[in-house]
Amino acid sequence: MLRRALPGRCGFCLAAAEPERPWCAACFEALPWNLPACPGCAEPQPPGSLSDRRCGHCLTRPPLFVRSRVPLRYEDEVARLMQRFKFHASPRAGTVLLELLELGLPPGALAWPQVLIPVPLHPRRARERGFDQADWLARRLATRHGLVLARARRCQATRSQRGLDRAERYRNLRGGFEVRGPLPPRVALLDDVMTTGATLDALAQACLSAGACEVEAWSVARTPLRGE
């Protein structure tokens, strides 16, 4: 109610925001939208690429989720906003990212899943950080759109994915999640940032083992894989 009644400020530049939006028109237009992107893993593709063509990684090793929905690239203002949200637990940053995710999902996407599952942190890491960003996003997204929320469990405290290449990330997370079934046929997974898709692939495997038939991977932003 306060946000609607009082003049808002842009979450990026602090200029006057658009009505009922946490951003201004100029910053919104300058955001690094993830287009074109691979429909399988959401990896950003070169300009002029066909939007429905899968990348080489997905052709040689298809992910266990049927498609990805990741509207932004983890660059520039989106990266800075994500860092404030993820490492400083900024609710304002989280609200902006959540609204960008909602706006970036295609029509009908939010009506597709029968269950929404956030990528969980290991309890020890959650205690160290004091904040679980994927859970924060999923709870609010479920409340806004009437989605059923389910939970997954990390079976072990795997080492950080930072600095690992694609193959090492997949090996690091093999068998890393457990989901109590039975799950309904359509499941969407939610994470804040998607890098190679290894985490979401491992969680998709657990969901399929728990009875799901199709799994989608959702994330706010995708890290471009430069140099791979």
Side-chain angles (χ1 to χ4, degrees):
M1 290 176 62
L2 283 172
R3 191 174 68 183
R4 291 188 175 93
L6 299 176
R9 293 291 173 182
C10 174
F12 299 100
C13 71
L14 298 181
E18 292 187 305
E20 299 189 14
R21 292 293 189 188
W23 51 69
C24 67
C27 287
F28 182 78
E29 291 176 5
L31 289 175
W33 295 101
N34 192 19
L35 296 169
C38 170
C41 69
E43 183 175 345
Q45 299 299 293
S49 300
L50 296 177
S51 59
D52 60 347
R53 180 168 294 179
R54 297 203 166 210
C55 68
H57 293 301
C58 286
L59 293 175
T60 56
R61 190 191 186 284
L64 294 174
F65 41 84
V66 294
R67 67 189 64 85
S68 297
R69 303 193 186 280
V70 187
L72 294 159
R73 301 186 186 202
Y74 187 70
E75 296 176 333
D76 306 327
E77 291 297 333
V78 170
R80 287 186 279 273
L81 190 69
M82 184 68 72
Q83 288 162 9
R84 293 203 300 273
F85 171 58
K86 189 170 183 173
F87 300 112
H88 300 285
S90 167
R92 177 169 176 78
T95 298
V96 176
L97 292 168
L98 181 61
E99 293 202 22
L100 287 171
L101 172 64
E102 291 174 311
L103 191 65
L105 290 173
L110 286 163
W112 182 85
Q114 295 166 293
V115 163
L116 178 67
I117 300 179
V119 173
L121 288 175
H122 187 273
R124 187 180 68 189
R125 189 164 294 169
R127 287 193 297 271
E128 290 171 353
R129 185 178 294 175
F131 178 64
D132 188 333
Q133 66 278 1
D135 182 76
W136 191 97
L137 292 168
R139 284 188 286 109
R140 284 156 180 79
L141 193 67
T143 299
R144 289 189 186 192
H145 300 279
L147 299 173
V148 176
L149 197 62
R151 305 291 178 183
R153 184 179 73 87
R154 280 196 184 247
C155 300
Q156 54 189 342
T158 55
R159 64 176 174 139
S160 172
Q161 296 281 77
R162 291 184 184 180
L164 302 183
D165 63 23
R166 182 186 292 266
E168 289 171 334
R169 285 171 177 261
Y170 276 89
R171 285 195 298 270
N172 189 41
L173 289 162
R174 189 172 297 153
F177 296 99
E178 180 183 46
V179 179
R180 291 186 179 181
L183 289 177
R186 302 189 306 275
V187 175
L189 310 178
L190 180 63
D191 206 357
D192 57 337
V193 178
M194 184 176 181
T195 302
T196 63
T199 301
L200 289 158
D201 192 73
L203 184 51
Q205 183 179 44
C207 291
L208 294 170
S209 298
C213 297
E214 287 188 319
V215 179
E216 287 191 350
W218 295 2
S219 187
V220 180
R222 180 62 153 86
T223 302
L225 301 180
R226 298 186 181 90
E228 285 205 17

